[in-house]
Amino acid sequence: MIRHNLRNGYTTGSCAAAAAKAAVLFLITGKKPDQVTLDLPGGESGTWIPVPVSDDNKVFGETRMGSCSFRVQKDAGDDPDVTNGSWIYVRAALLSKEELAARLRYGKGYLVSAEPTVYLDGGCGIGLVTREGLSCPPGHYAFNPVPREMIGGAVEKVCRDAGYREPLLITVAIPGGEKLAKKTFNPRLGITGGLSVLGTTGIVRPMSEEALQDTICLELHMNSLAGKTLIMMTPGNYGETFLEEQMKLPAGKAVVCSNFVGDSAAMAAKEGIRRILFVGHIGKLIKVAAGMKNTHSRYGDCRMETIVRILSQVLGGISSQLREAITACGTTDEALKILMGIEGNPAQLVMNETARAVKAQMEAWSGEKVSVEVVVFSSALNLIGCTEFAEEYGDQIRNEDEKLFIRG
């Protein structure tokens, strides 16, 4: 049973979008909002209380005419997020066409809206991407695609409602972000000087280990009570999206195991689940292939070493130069991109062997009571690896869902 009712919070991207909405509203209409509401990508909505900033030059380093700033305090709920309680500052400013052209050509930010033209920039505490393989290009601020869309959409709506069409500059800052970033995985990934602005649904789900394991156990138990012996399982949002969009499997039906892959396999066996279709991104599943029951970064990082080991295994040995190149990579996508440039595309061999290794690990953790078929993917590189009967498991799940739809 679940012993705790944990409170959800909001991502940094959601807070930035809320502050941006407030700043633009005040800048172009003179109306100071007491609160702002946003529709979030995950289908939920959120409300924030924005606070106007009168001395924003202390945060943004300069006073700019034709601008205003608001801040929103991040509430991550009961998640142990290092940015919980931080203030997310956003300044909205009028932007000349000449300055816009220069920023589009030389800037480190992003064009996030075409009508009106909105340019998103980073201030203090926002990290810069220095390496290939992430969802942001090197040399640009670390705003992931979903937060960029959220901020652009929030600003665009305010402008559309007010009939405003001139260019705007939106600058996000998180004072203290550079210090906080040292407590994250950003330096290893090649994000320097601050935090990355993340989020896929706009909501932060609590990551209490005990509560998460309780939730996983309950979900497995409910599947068992429903008579299911074949289920889908994935570590998180990326896997759920892949299941729905790429494999055309029923949305929201997968058991999300987070980092607790080993424990989830054992719990599934205890609940009478006999078959699992396990789907996840290579960055997470490569750790499972190495034998990590819990894939959280605090338990170690063996990703590049495991890719080197698997690559050497499938090729019968590799050169020291290739070994060094892979070891120096910050992400699995970066490593696989190197392999895709080699004759014979050993990246595909690594993906398939990773899937087989994950299958073996999970079946062992289940006490050999569960048969596991695996799909491992890299959406950025359009690479997919799978075990022999993964497609068959997918067909069975799809057919069963269609039968339930007809009966319902």
Side-chain angles (χ1 to χ4, degrees), residues 19 40 44 94 105 142 149 241 271 304 309 317 325 345 375 390:
L40 303 176
E44 301 179 51
L94 304 178
R105 187 172 182 181
E149 292 174 7
T241 300
E271 290 294 339
M304 301 310 138
R309 176 178 59 77
N345 189 14
V375 176

Side-chain angles (χ1 to χ4, degrees), residues 81-408:
D81 190 319
V82 298
T83 60
N84 185 43
S86 297
W87 285 96
I88 315 301
Y89 286 72
V90 174
R91 181 168 65 184
L94 304 178
L95 188 62
S96 69
K97 292 181 179 179
E98 292 75 17
E99 184 181 354
L100 172 62
R103 287 180 180 273
L104 289 174
R105 187 172 182 181
Y106 303 110
K108 300 174 182 178
Y110 303 88
L111 184 69
V112 294
S113 173
E115 186 64 42
T117 306
V118 179
Y119 188 86
L120 175 63
D121 210 2
C124 69
I126 306 298
L128 281 170
V129 176
T130 63
R131 304 174 70 168
E132 297 278 359
L134 298 174
S135 56
C136 309
H140 288 253
Y141 286 106
F143 292 99
N144 274 18
V146 171
R148 296 201 299 258
E149 292 174 7
M150 289 176 63
I151 294 168
V155 172
E156 190 176 54
K157 185 179 187 308
V158 173
C159 292
R160 186 170 59 248
D161 291 346
Y164 187 86
R165 302 181 65 179
E166 296 302 313
L168 291 170
L169 172 64
I170 304 298
T171 306
V172 180
I174 307 177
E178 185 172 0
K179 184 177 180 180
L180 289 174
K182 295 176 182 178
K183 301 178 182 179
T184 73
F185 212 48
N186 280 5
R188 169 75 178 181
L189 295 176
I191 299 173
T192 62
L195 295 160
S196 48
V197 180
L198 305 175
T200 55
T201 65
I203 298 290
V204 176
R205 311 282 179 193
M207 295 295 287
S208 161
E209 290 199 359
E210 183 181 11
L212 268 175
Q213 287 176 305
D214 285 342
T215 302
I216 295 165
C217 186
L218 177 61
E219 193 168 358
L220 288 166
H221 182 63
M222 292 175 67
N223 274 280
S224 179
L225 288 178
K228 292 185 178 181
T229 59
L230 168 61
I231 65 167
M232 297 179 290
M233 184 179 288
T234 182
N237 291 331
Y238 291 140
E240 284 192 298
T241 300
F242 187 88
L243 281 164
E244 179 183 358
E245 295 182 358
Q246 301 300 319
M247 299 185 70
K248 307 304 178 185
L249 290 168
K253 299 292 183 67
V255 175
V256 178
C257 67
S258 187
N259 294 306
F260 308 101
V261 181
D263 288 339
S264 296
M267 287 188 285
K270 186 175 180 180
E271 290 294 339
I273 304 298
R274 291 295 170 255
R275 294 175 297 163
I276 294 175
L277 176 62
F278 188 65
V279 177
H281 186 272
I282 180 66
K284 182 76 71 174
L285 267 58
I286 195 70
K287 295 183 177 183
V288 181
M292 289 183 64
K293 288 186 174 183
N294 188 314
T295 58
H296 195 282
S297 58
R298 69 171 172 269
Y299 294 109
D301 179 22
C302 56
R303 294 169 303 151
M304 301 310 138
E305 294 82 355
T306 307
I307 289 178
V308 166
R309 176 178 59 77
I310 291 176
L311 181 63
S312 183
Q313 176 183 330
V314 298
L315 294 182
I318 60 174
S319 67
S320 58
Q321 292 91 339
L322 182 55
R323 181 186 300 271
E324 291 173 3
I326 298 298
T327 303
C329 290
T331 68
T332 50
D333 283 344
E334 185 182 351
L336 290 171
K337 190 174 182 179
I338 293 175
L339 300 185
M340 291 177 71
I342 299 175
E343 184 178 356
N345 189 14
Q348 187 61 62
L349 298 176
V350 169
M351 295 289 282
N352 289 335
E353 186 57 37
T354 297
R356 286 191 284 269
V358 170
K359 170 183 171 70
Q361 293 288 0
M362 292 186 68
E363 290 181 346
W365 292 331
S366 77
E368 306 299 339
K369 294 179 180 179
V370 181
S371 175
V372 182
E373 296 299 324
V374 178
V375 176
V376 56
F377 65 87
S378 167
S379 297
L381 301 176
N382 197 27
L383 279 174
I384 301 173
C386 59
T387 51
E388 184 178 2
F389 298 109
E391 186 174 350
E392 180 180 317
Y393 275 25
D395 288 340
Q396 291 181 31
I397 293 169
R398 197 177 297 108
N399 291 338
E400 180 60 29
D401 186 67
E402 289 174 356
K403 291 177 183 177
L404 288 172
F405 177 77
I406 293 172
R407 288 200 297 268

Side-chain angles (χ1 to χ4, degrees), residues 63-76:
T63 299
R64 184 176 178 117
M65 299 299 294
S67 70
C68 70
S69 303
F70 278 75
R71 63 178 184 167
V72 165
Q73 189 170 32
K74 179 170 179 178
D75 179 1

